[in-house]
Amino acid sequence: MIKKLKNKLIFIALLSVAIVLTIIISTSYVASIINITITTDSLINNLYINNGEFNIGLDNKIDQDTFSQTRYFIVDYSNDGVTPPKINSKEIHISEDSIVHLSNRAKGHIFNKGFVSGYRYNRYYSDSGTKIIFISCHRQMGNVHFLISCAILISLISLVTIFSILRLFANKILKPIIEAHEKQKKFITNASHELKTPLTVITANSELLEMEYGENEYTKTINKQINKLTNMTNALVMLSKIDEMNTLNDMNEFSLSDAAYDTACEYVRVINNEFNFQIDEELNYFGNEKLIRNLISIILDNARKYSKTFVNFTVTKSKNKIVMTCTNDSDGLVKGNLMNFSERFYRSDESRVTV
């Protein structure tokens, strides 16, 4: 159990850090793209207002270096559909055919603004035709991608580092839980052994009473309670060890039909109410046979204790699954609390719970 708890701690910690880093990197990337878009649109608007030339005094938010480093081209389409597009460019090192290809793609887009192959474009319409202004964003996008790549690399290194630290200090972090778990196991084991001594004495005295006075109602009651306490003691010992058992080493294929039938037959004499069971033949299962038998026994025992008139138990095969069903007419089942019945020591009657 401690090993599983340690693995869960490491997994949850790494997952939490990974989610936070992903959010930070994604937010940074989106913010960078938005900033590039706003800046570029401002430059495009500057070019449109000044007929293809920058006016530095028009936009005080953009400095001289930004204007000087900006690479752009403008394509004008006439409305007649015959005149070839007019191209005006600034230090764009691509062919005229490539420019026409990019402008045709931008012209065919639904939106008047967008990105095409690393260029930001805006479309403007007038009576004379359509003007499409492109500004190269390759440098800015390259810087963003480089920073994001560095951030991802640093994040991966951080996750590996955090994983190593957690592996190294997980035992110290879980030390109080480990100590409490060990004390609990020790207490259960010691209590179980301490209970065996008085149970042995009571059993011996009960047998002496039966030899001397014969079996009667009182000795039957004593023996019944002895058996109940013995079963509880054995269950406590098994409970303290089951979390540490390596059940994978004890797994093999066995006849689930035989296991279920043998266990059900044991309860024919024990269940006082009507008991019906139906088990399909030749059902095989791969697992720990001892624990499966114990599970069936626990299910039937609880069904017996809390049933009013009947207990029904079935083991059938449905498609590729084996379905085990146990029903009774018990009282005290609150709707919505069924998941709690898999918890150890859970009781629906709160009056039976000691605080």
Side-chain angles (χ1 to χ4, degrees):
M1 186 187 76
I2 298 300
K3 185 177 180 180
K4 291 181 180 178
L5 186 61
K6 186 194 298 184
N7 292 335
K8 285 184 179 179
L9 171 66
I10 295 173
F11 174 76
I12 292 173
L14 289 177
L15 181 63
S16 301
V17 174
I19 291 173
V20 172
L21 290 174
T22 301
I23 293 173
I24 293 174
I25 294 173
S26 301
T27 304
S28 301
Y29 179 76
V30 172
S32 300
I33 297 299
I34 292 174
N35 181 61
I36 291 173
T37 302
I38 293 173
T39 304
T40 307
D41 285 346
S42 179
L43 290 170
I44 292 175
N45 186 61
N46 190 300
L47 285 170
Y48 176 72
I49 293 174
N50 293 280
N51 297 318
E53 298 292 336
F54 282 127
N55 184 349
I56 299 177
L58 185 65
D59 196 339
N60 295 324
K61 297 179 181 179
I62 303 174
D63 56 22
Q64 175 67 42
D65 291 337
T66 302
F67 283 113
S68 62
Q69 295 174 8
T70 301
R71 305 291 179 264
Y72 66 89
F73 62 88
I74 303 171
V75 181
D76 289 301
Y77 288 91
S78 63
N79 287 333
D80 58 18
V82 178
T83 305
K86 183 181 178 182
I87 300 173
N88 177 22
S89 63
K90 177 191 176 184
E91 299 185 19
I92 293 292
H93 303 294
I94 59 175
S95 65
E96 187 173 311
D97 292 338
S98 298
I99 291 176
V100 173
H101 176 70
L102 291 172
S103 61
N104 287 334
R105 287 177 57 190
K107 187 180 179 182
H109 280 190
I110 299 175
F111 302 104
N112 291 328
K113 297 180 179 182
F115 286 93
V116 174
S117 299
Y119 292 90
R120 177 71 177 175
Y121 73 87
N122 283 12
R123 281 200 312 255
Y124 299 94
Y125 298 98
S126 64
D127 294 337
S128 59
T130 303
K131 183 187 292 291
I132 306 178
I133 302 176
F134 293 82
I135 287 184
S136 174
C137 299
H138 293 89
R139 179 175 56 83
Q140 298 94 320
M141 295 294 288
N143 292 335
V144 171
H145 291 156
F146 175 76
L147 291 175
I148 294 299
S149 298
C150 291
I152 292 174
L153 180 61
I154 292 171
S155 299
L156 292 175
I157 295 173
S158 300
L159 288 174
V160 173
T161 304
I162 293 171
F163 173 77
S164 302
I165 293 172
L166 287 174
R167 290 283 295 180
L168 187 62
F169 294 101
N171 287 333
K172 290 186 178 180
I173 297 172
L174 298 174
K175 186 177 180 180
I177 298 176
I178 295 173
E179 290 179 350
H181 181 68
E182 292 298 327
K183 288 179 180 178
Q184 183 189 52
K185 283 175 55 182
K186 187 175 180 180
F187 169 77
I188 292 174
T189 303
N190 291 339
S192 301
H193 287 298
E194 290 296 326
L195 285 171
K196 287 181 179 180
T197 301
L199 284 174
T200 303
V201 174
I202 295 171
T203 302
N205 289 330
S206 176
E207 291 175 353
L208 289 174
L209 287 173
E210 287 182 345
M211 292 172 61
E212 186 171 351
Y213 300 103
E215 186 180 40
N216 53 54
E217 178 183 353
Y218 303 105
T219 57
K220 286 182 179 179
T221 302
I222 292 172
N223 291 331
K224 183 178 180 181
Q225 295 303 317
I226 288 172
N227 291 330
K228 184 177 180 180
L229 284 173
T230 301
N231 292 331
M232 288 177 61
T233 303
N234 294 332
L236 282 173
V237 175
M238 185 176 183
L239 186 64
S240 66
K241 294 180 179 180
I242 194 168
D243 287 328
E244 306 302 327
M245 288 174 58
N246 190 358
T247 56
L248 293 177
N249 293 335
D250 297 328
M251 294 177 65
N252 49 57
E253 187 172 352
F254 65 95
S255 175
L256 181 60
S257 299
D258 292 344
Y261 181 80
D262 293 343
T263 308
C265 287
E266 293 177 2
Y267 279 86
V268 170
R269 300 183 301 272
V270 179
I271 298 178
N272 296 324
N273 297 324
E274 181 184 352
F275 179 40
N276 302 306
F277 63 89
Q278 179 182 354
I279 301 167
D280 290 352
E281 297 180 354
E282 298 182 357
L283 293 179
N284 294 324
Y285 185 76
F286 185 82
N288 189 306
E289 183 176 359
K290 181 179 179 182
L291 293 181
I292 294 296
R293 286 177 177 268
N294 192 34
L295 172 65
I296 297 172
S297 178
I298 292 172
I299 291 172
L300 292 177
D301 192 52
N302 279 290
R304 173 189 65 83
K305 288 179 182 177
Y306 302 108
S307 67
K308 292 178 4 182
T309 59
F310 73 90
V311 175
N312 294 329
F313 177 66
T314 61
V315 182
T316 59
K317 187 172 184 179
S318 175
K319 296 182 180 179
N320 295 326
K321 296 181 180 179
I322 297 176
V323 180
M324 187 181 300
T325 307
C326 187
T327 58
N328 66 354
D329 53 346
S330 172
D331 289 330
L333 293 178
V334 181
K335 188 176 181 180
N337 290 343
L338 294 180
M339 293 301 296
N340 294 329
F341 283 86
S342 62
E343 297 181 6
R344 291 175 178 174
F345 310 119
Y346 175 78
R347 291 185 184 276
S348 59
D349 184 3
E350 295 295 334
S351 64
R352 297 285 301 276
V353 180
T354 302
V355 181

